[in-house]
Amino acid sequence: MNPGSAAPRPSNRSGRKPVCIPCIPAGRLYAWIAVLLLGAVIAGCDSGPAPSLYDPDRASAPDPAITSISPEGFALAGVDVVTIDGSNFSAQASDNLVYFNEVRGEVLEASATRLQVKAPATPGADIEVRVAVLGAENYSNGIAYRLEAAVEPFGDIAGFEEPFSIASDPAGNLYVSMNSDNRSVGVLRMAPDGSRSPFVESTFIWTGMAYGADDMLYTVRSVRAVFRFVEGGRQEVWGVIPDNSVRLSAITFDPENNLWAGGNNAHIYRIAADKSVEAFPFEANVRALRFFEGYLYAAATRDNASGIWRWPVSGGRAGEAELYFDVTGETGAEALALAFAANGDLFVGTNAAEPVLLVAPNGQADVLYPGLFMPAATAFAWGASPNLYMVQGRTDTTPPGLLRINTRREAAE
């Protein structure tokens, strides 16, 4: 090698181009390094197959089975507690899932052979009841059962309609004073199947109605007169209170066909069949009147307190008034409607959040069918037993409506 000449290059005997790390782009180099490191980590962590969550030795609980459901035949949806007898249930209530078709009922009590379940508020004629138990692989057998409606809309009331007072005849037809688009269309007659037909055309809202033994409809509308209608529209003034200041808003008949009337006045009034009038002192705002077993009952507000008052009645004359039930004191609400069952149970409509009270003859009061009504209950009329019709009055949060209630009771005569 001559001085000053370049150093000889190493030979490449393989004939391949040498790999020069500096010639590899930095991004690709880092990717290769990451892949190599990941492979090393995976290889280092490989200690055999992971354990399975499935335990082949775990035994499932036995499948539940249903043998019977009571009450036999049917229960009231959203009201009744249904008893399911069978086997392989859990004694822990929350471990049992009871389905009425696709809707779960609330399990209240449980043992290995019996479940107590609150029926859901979903009526149906052919509902399959099944039970699932946590830990068991399969549902129970299904049993067909019927849930009847405890409360249901009636009469196909449209959004622009508003019912006010109601009355019924012995055939079970319902008479409804109806507003449509904020004006009265008169009185409609609704058959027990809900079909409707005009009974009387009228421009007035009737605040109280009663069906007479003469098959005529008697009405009041916050004036001092009582009106009488026959089908087709003929109207007559049947009775008049002499005092011009009187305003009548509620009426009812007693067994002797005397008509009793009240409103926001200083008296209640009896109008006999011969149309003679007698006044009995009672300064209050009377919202509803009913007669039952020798007593006249009134839902009324006086001295800023609402309650149910009653008078013993004999020979068309009322005795001394007594407070029968203190609605405001018991509930803080106002009594608006009354209806008696044959056994003496009194239905009281109010403007409370749970608007229907059931007052027993001994004075014990309970809410009827909690959770199934919206306020307010402003009028009642019996249909064919056990059905009681109710006007759901308009409030700030509740639209007006008409409901049919299965009371499981016979109507008072």
Side-chain angles (χ1 to χ4, degrees):
M1 179 169 64
N2 293 327
S5 64
R9 297 179 179 178
S11 64
N12 182 9
R13 298 179 179 220
S14 65
R16 292 177 295 179
K17 185 175 180 179
V19 176
C20 179
I21 291 178
C23 296
I24 300 175
R28 186 177 299 175
L29 175 63
Y30 296 151
W32 285 1
I33 293 172
V35 170
L36 291 174
L37 289 175
L38 180 62
V41 169
I42 293 175
C45 294
D46 186 9
S47 59
S52 171
L53 295 177
Y54 172 68
D55 182 1
D57 297 324
R58 187 184 72 85
S60 297
D63 294 335
I66 300 174
T67 55
S68 66
I69 301 177
S70 59
E72 185 177 355
F74 73 92
L76 289 186
V79 172
D80 285 339
V81 174
V82 173
T83 299
I84 300 176
D85 289 311
S87 58
N88 301 329
F89 304 143
S90 172
Q92 182 68 34
S94 60
D95 289 347
N96 302 282
L97 309 178
V98 180
Y99 289 89
F100 294 75
N101 283 344
E102 305 304 321
V103 181
R104 278 178 59 181
E106 180 185 2
V107 180
L108 304 176
E109 297 180 15
S111 72
T113 58
R114 172 168 290 184
L115 301 176
Q116 300 283 338
V117 186
K118 178 71 173 291
T122 51
D126 192 16
I127 294 174
E128 184 182 36
V129 180
R130 298 177 300 160
V131 176
V133 176
L134 296 184
E137 292 187 5
N138 300 304
Y139 281 98
S140 71
N141 56 306
I143 290 186
Y145 197 65
R146 188 168 86 252
L147 292 180
E148 292 192 351
V151 180
E152 60 184 339
F154 180 78
D156 196 23
I157 304 300
F160 52 84
E161 293 181 313
E162 183 172 4
F164 284 88
S165 59
I166 54 177
S168 58
D169 65 22
N173 296 305
L174 189 67
Y175 298 83
V176 184
S177 176
M178 183 74 76
N179 258 19
S180 179
D181 287 328
N182 295 316
R183 64 180 183 85
S184 173
V185 295
V187 178
L188 303 180
R189 180 168 57 191
M190 297 185 180
D193 64 2
S195 60
R196 57 166 75 182
S197 59
F199 182 73
V200 171
E201 292 186 1
S202 171
T203 59
F204 299 108
I205 295 173
W206 302 100
T207 58
M209 299 195 297
Y211 198 84
D214 55 1
D215 289 327
M216 293 190 183
L217 185 67
Y218 292 74
T219 65
V220 288
R221 56 176 179 85
S222 297
V223 297
R224 63 190 178 111
V226 176
F227 301 85
R228 184 167 68 175
F229 292 94
V230 295
E231 184 175 4
R234 184 168 61 84
Q235 170 186 325
E236 65 180 10
V237 176
W238 177 78
V240 178
I241 307 302
D243 185 346
N244 289 334
S245 68
V246 168
R247 300 292 180 265
L248 302 179
S249 57
I251 55 175
T252 194
F253 283 100
D254 68 20
E256 297 176 0
N257 294 322
N258 296 304
L259 185 143
W260 296 84
N264 195 0
N265 306 300
H267 298 80
I268 58 168
Y269 300 90
R270 186 225 65 206
I271 307 177
D274 62 5
K275 302 183 183 180
S276 61
V277 176
E278 187 168 359
F280 301 89
F282 185 65
E283 188 167 359
N285 184 5
V286 175
R287 306 299 297 267
L289 292 167
R290 286 294 183 269
F291 198 92
F292 182 72
E293 292 191 346
Y295 284 87
L296 176 68
Y297 291 78
T301 300
R302 64 186 316 196
D303 300 326
N304 297 317
S306 180
I308 311 302
W309 277 263
R310 72 175 186 175
W311 298 257
V313 175
S314 177
R317 296 186 56 82
E320 292 295 320
E322 64 176 347
L323 181 62
Y324 179 74
F325 184 77
D326 184 358
V327 176
T328 298
E330 294 292 332
T331 69
E334 182 181 7
L336 305 173
L338 299 174
F340 271 98
N343 67 352
D345 286 345
L346 174 61
F347 298 88
V348 181
T350 75
N351 57 355
E354 295 285 359
V356 183
L357 293 177
L358 185 63
V359 181
N362 64 3
Q364 177 67 40
D366 294 293
V367 171
L368 180 71
Y369 302 163
L372 297 189
F373 297 100
M374 294 187 292
T378 59
F380 289 135
W382 281 103
S385 298
N387 294 321
L388 178 66
Y389 295 101
M390 179 190 115
V391 173
Q392 178 180 286
R394 183 191 299 277
T395 69
D396 292 340
T397 59
T398 305
L402 188 59
L403 303 176
R404 180 165 57 191
I405 307 168
N406 183 340
T407 66
R408 287 180 158 165
R409 291 164 175 81
E410 294 293 317
E413 294 294 335

